[in-house]
Amino acid sequence: MVIVMKLGATEQQIEHVVDRLRQVGLREHISEGEERTLIGAIGDERVLQTVPLEALSGVERVIPVLAPYKLASREFQSEDTVIGISGGVNGVEIGGKRVVVMAGPCAVESAEQIITIAGLVKQAGAVILRGGAYKPRTGPYSFQGLGDDGLVLLAAARKQTGLPVITEVMTLEDIDLVGGYTDVFQIGARNMQNFMLLKGVGQTKKPVMLKRGMSATIEEFLLAAEYILSQGNTRVMLCERGIRTFETYTRNTLDINAVPALKALTHLPVIVDPSHGTGRRELVPAVSRAAIAAGADGLLMEVHHDPENSLTGDGAQSLLPDQFSQLMEQLERIAQAVGRSLLPQKEVASAFTGGWSGTLT
Ligand code: PEP
Ligand code: MN
């Protein structure tokens, strides 16, 4: 249920509506629009049958939200959510006019590796650095990531390049630690329905990128986002990373349909990961171009300067730095064609001066 307040409704009128919701055991989610305040009622709405919400002063309309996800729905909020990323030196916004590229290795493997790749992706125009410190590997004997040391190296790469970072948090217990280093929490596909973890990041104020579970429907994906939103964190973005189908030529089947479908169903930014979506670097450029043409707000891409020796199994889907920079030029043209832009200002891209210096500052 969304309660639309009248233009110029007073604080007291809003508080009164909130009190009535709380009296019947519901919680409120207040969204201050440019013109009006919207109040979402959270909880089992059947209790509202006895509350004459439409009669309360300052209330213009009460709209039932039909979708099972409420706060994530376009019915609840028609304007796009734009998420400001505060870490790093240059402000980055996700969900606005500019398409955002997040790039880096699958996993942080060493100081030399992450700082070299960070510098290269920044020069090519990426605005957020990706890299896993904790890796959710299918087998227990595969490289599991550098863990805490990986977080420290990501922070060093951020310091050296000014790029904000995104990294995966896998457990509830790690939220505080990972949150101390990262600018965006990544929730991996395998954890999309780890509801305790979703609630945990929902209780923080940091942006969260939620990856689609490999067998999740669009509705399940949105309900997972709803778990985070329902805890008060409004800074959520969704990432389509391919789903399981009968096809084995590619690692996953990137569901391009999900991009316009999600843009219609939700106000949350939509990111596409063509690396896990294909599993093959030769397919990444075309799928990236398609994603932007389909309306994605950003891309998450794996880039490695030495994929042959990468410690994760994701070398085959990682672009080489030169391929990545060529692709970025093409993507700028696609972005322009759909009324957006992608590359940062040249002076921002050239602000990176350092190479790997051998010491962490
Ligand atoms: C990743 O981004 O490296 C990753 C593990 O992705 P996913 O959770 O989509 O498999
Ligand atoms: Mn990976």
Side-chain angles (χ1 to χ4, degrees):
M1 197 78 88
V2 181
I3 300 135
V4 182
M5 300 301 291
K6 285 189 176 140
L7 265 180
T10 64
E11 287 288 316
Q12 277 154 326
Q13 290 171 327
I14 295 170
E15 266 168 37
H16 184 60
V17 173
V18 169
D19 285 344
R20 293 299 303 261
L21 295 178
R22 289 184 182 172
Q23 275 163 16
V24 291
L26 296 177
R27 279 179 299 127
E28 74 285 353
H29 182 287
I30 300 185
S31 163
E32 306 267 2
E34 294 221 330
E35 295 198 326
R36 291 162 202 281
T37 299
L38 303 181
I39 306 173
I42 307 172
D44 184 350
E45 291 175 7
R46 283 172 300 184
V47 294
L48 283 176
Q49 279 159 6
T50 55
V51 186
L53 284 174
E54 234 139 18
L56 301 186
S57 72
V59 172
E60 179 164 297
R61 252 176 321 141
V62 178
I63 310 174
V65 177
L66 299 175
Y69 43 87
K70 312 239 174 256
L71 305 174
S73 73
R74 277 265 181 220
E75 286 161 287
F76 175 63
Q77 182 185 311
S78 57
E79 318 96 71
D80 288 340
T81 285
V82 178
I83 301 174
I85 308 294
S86 49
V89 288
N90 302 300
V92 175
E93 278 186 350
I94 304 183
K97 186 169 181 237
R98 191 158 130 207
V99 175
V100 168
V101 175
M102 312 182 212
C106 180
V108 181
E109 299 172 18
S110 67
E112 186 269 338
Q113 177 246 23
I114 189 67
I115 291 185
T116 302
I117 297 174
L120 292 166
V121 297
K122 176 164 182 171
Q123 257 163 354
V127 290
I128 298 183
L129 174 66
R130 67 148 288 150
Y134 303 92
K135 294 305 300 177
R137 302 304 302 278
T138 301
Y141 309 122
S142 307
F143 174 60
Q144 306 281 314
L146 295 180
D148 307 3
D149 293 344
L151 296 176
V152 173
L153 296 180
L154 271 178
R158 172 175 51 189
K159 193 163 180 205
Q160 186 133 347
T161 59
L163 289 178
V165 301
I166 177 168
T167 199
E168 179 162 351
V169 58
M170 283 176 52
T171 69
L172 194 55
E173 297 72 42
D174 286 341
I175 290 177
D176 285 346
L177 175 70
V178 175
Y181 289 91
T182 197
D183 300 295
V184 182
F185 284 121
Q186 174 171 324
I187 302 287
R190 292 156 190 80
N191 267 323
M192 189 205 83
Q193 285 187 316
N194 180 339
F195 300 119
M196 297 307 284
L197 182 62
L198 299 180
K199 285 189 187 176
V201 291
Q203 283 158 17
T204 73
K205 295 203 182 333
K206 257 191 209 275
V208 180
M209 189 188 72
L210 176 66
K211 296 190 87 174
R212 181 176 182 181
M214 48 191 102
S215 304
T217 63
I218 287 176
E219 185 167 301
E220 287 163 344
F221 191 15
L222 288 166
L223 283 166
E226 188 81 8
Y227 265 93
I228 305 173
L229 296 168
S230 72
Q231 299 301 304
N233 188 346
T234 53
R235 304 168 81 201
V236 179
M237 63 199 104
L238 304 166
C239 178
E240 162 59 40
R241 46 77 72 202
I243 50 175
R244 277 269 165 96
T245 67
F246 55 80
E247 183 55 75
T248 54
Y249 178 74
T250 47
R251 179 175 179 181
N252 291 292
T253 297
L254 191 115
D255 181 8
I256 197 80
N257 303 354
V259 178
L262 288 169
K263 292 299 294 178
L265 295 169
T266 179
H267 50 86
L268 301 174
V270 176
I271 310 296
V272 166
D273 172 351
S275 307
H276 294 85
T278 62
R280 304 176 77 115
R281 79 164 65 83
E282 70 277 17
L283 302 183
V284 167
V287 174
S288 307
R289 294 191 298 264
I292 294 176
D297 297 297
L299 295 170
L300 178 79
M301 274 192 266
E302 291 189 344
V303 176
H304 204 296
H305 64 312
D306 184 14
E308 217 180 292
N309 292 307
S310 132
L311 297 178
T312 69
D314 290 0
Q317 68 192 32
S318 300
L319 291 177
L320 290 157
D322 280 353
Q323 296 173 322
F324 178 67
S325 47
Q326 274 173 23
L327 175 60
M328 291 292 277
E329 302 286 336
Q330 295 174 3
L331 294 178
E332 171 69 33
R333 299 211 294 278
I334 304 287
Q336 300 274 346
V338 293
R340 304 181 86 166
S341 63
L342 179 133
L343 288 173
Q345 305 294 310
K346 279 285 174 239
E347 57 271 25
V348 175
S350 62
F352 174 75
T353 47
W356 164 240
S357 60
T359 48
L360 298 180
T361 49

